[in-house]
Amino acid sequence: MKYESKRDVEHLISSKTLINVIPSLHFHKSIELNYATQGALKVQLGLHNEIFYPGEIAFIPSYIPHSVAAIGETVSENLIIPFQYFKKFSQNDVSLQFFQLNNKKINTELFTIISAIKERINTNPPILLQGLIYVLLGLIVENYPQNQFSTNEDSLIIRIIEYIENNFTEN
């Protein structure tokens, strides 16, 4: 398993179209959204495995080991949301522990917001992008039940990463 530190250090929102994505077990502090536009995705989140079809979204919470794999010929989208864009949720004790977002009616609205985020990734002012992310995450919190994922086995690793993040400028 690999810790993708670059995602957590850069603090950049990213969006990619992936063709026949190959699985790689990894984790990061960022939230990751994955969805198939053609074909299907097999997503492993911790010990859970699910198949995602077009119209469904895989929500990958912070620090949960995961992998995403194409099933056959698949085109998928990936959106990475760094911690700085959702830290207010954790500061206000709003848990962002989800996995399978499969209500296609709600997801139609989420896809509209995701498209707006993708269009504004490199534009100014960044506060508009922040607002769109708040709306996206707020709608998910409002419309989907929370999941609980165990990070006990990885908690030491997470504590070490957070210690380094918070103290790397000190001697």
Side-chain angles (χ1 to χ4, degrees):
M1 177 173 37
K2 179 174 118 178
Y3 170 52
E4 291 189 343
S5 59
K6 184 176 179 183
R7 289 186 181 191
D8 294 340
V9 173
E10 289 180 338
H11 304 290
L12 298 173
I13 295 172
S14 73
S15 174
K16 294 180 183 172
T17 299
L18 305 168
I19 310 290
N20 300 327
V21 64
I22 298 170
S24 171
L25 189 62
H26 65 282
F27 69 101
H28 41 74
K29 192 173 186 176
S30 302
I31 288 175
E32 185 172 337
L33 301 178
N34 290 282
Y35 53 95
T37 56
Q38 175 186 321
L41 293 171
K42 179 180 179 185
V43 181
Q44 176 186 351
L45 183 63
L47 300 175
H48 305 278
N49 288 291
E50 293 291 340
I51 305 296
F52 290 81
Y53 298 96
E56 301 175 333
I57 302 170
F59 185 106
I60 313 296
S62 289
Y63 289 131
I64 306 295
H66 60 280
S67 69
V68 179
I71 299 175
E73 294 297 314
T74 300
V75 178
S76 61
E77 297 289 329
N78 170 278
L79 178 67
I80 303 294
I81 303 171
F83 179 71
Q84 75 177 37
Y85 287 92
F86 63 90
K87 68 181 173 187
K88 291 280 187 195
F89 284 82
S90 60
Q91 290 171 344
N92 289 297
D93 294 323
V94 177
S95 177
L96 295 172
Q97 296 281 312
F98 303 96
F99 184 29
Q100 192 170 28
L101 309 181
N102 57 6
N103 183 318
K104 291 183 181 183
K105 182 179 178 192
I106 294 166
N107 290 356
T108 299
E109 189 173 359
L110 297 179
F111 287 130
T112 300
I113 298 165
I114 290 169
S115 292
I117 290 168
K118 289 166 64 172
E119 289 173 13
R120 290 173 176 81
I121 284 178
N122 296 314
T123 61
N124 283 315
I127 192 74
L128 295 176
L129 192 56
Q130 179 71 68
L132 287 168
I133 291 169
Y134 281 176
V135 170
L136 176 71
L137 296 176
L139 285 171
I140 293 169
V141 167
E142 180 179 72
N143 289 290
Y144 282 101
Q146 296 283 329
N147 293 92
Q148 292 304 315
F149 299 101
S150 173
T151 57
N152 291 344
E153 39 192 65
D154 301 318
S155 64
L156 178 60
I157 294 169
I158 293 167
R159 287 196 327 257
I160 291 169
I161 291 167
E162 288 180 341
Y163 177 83
I164 293 168
E165 258 181 26
N166 294 329
N167 297 288
F168 75 94
T169 59
E170 305 294 321
N171 284 335

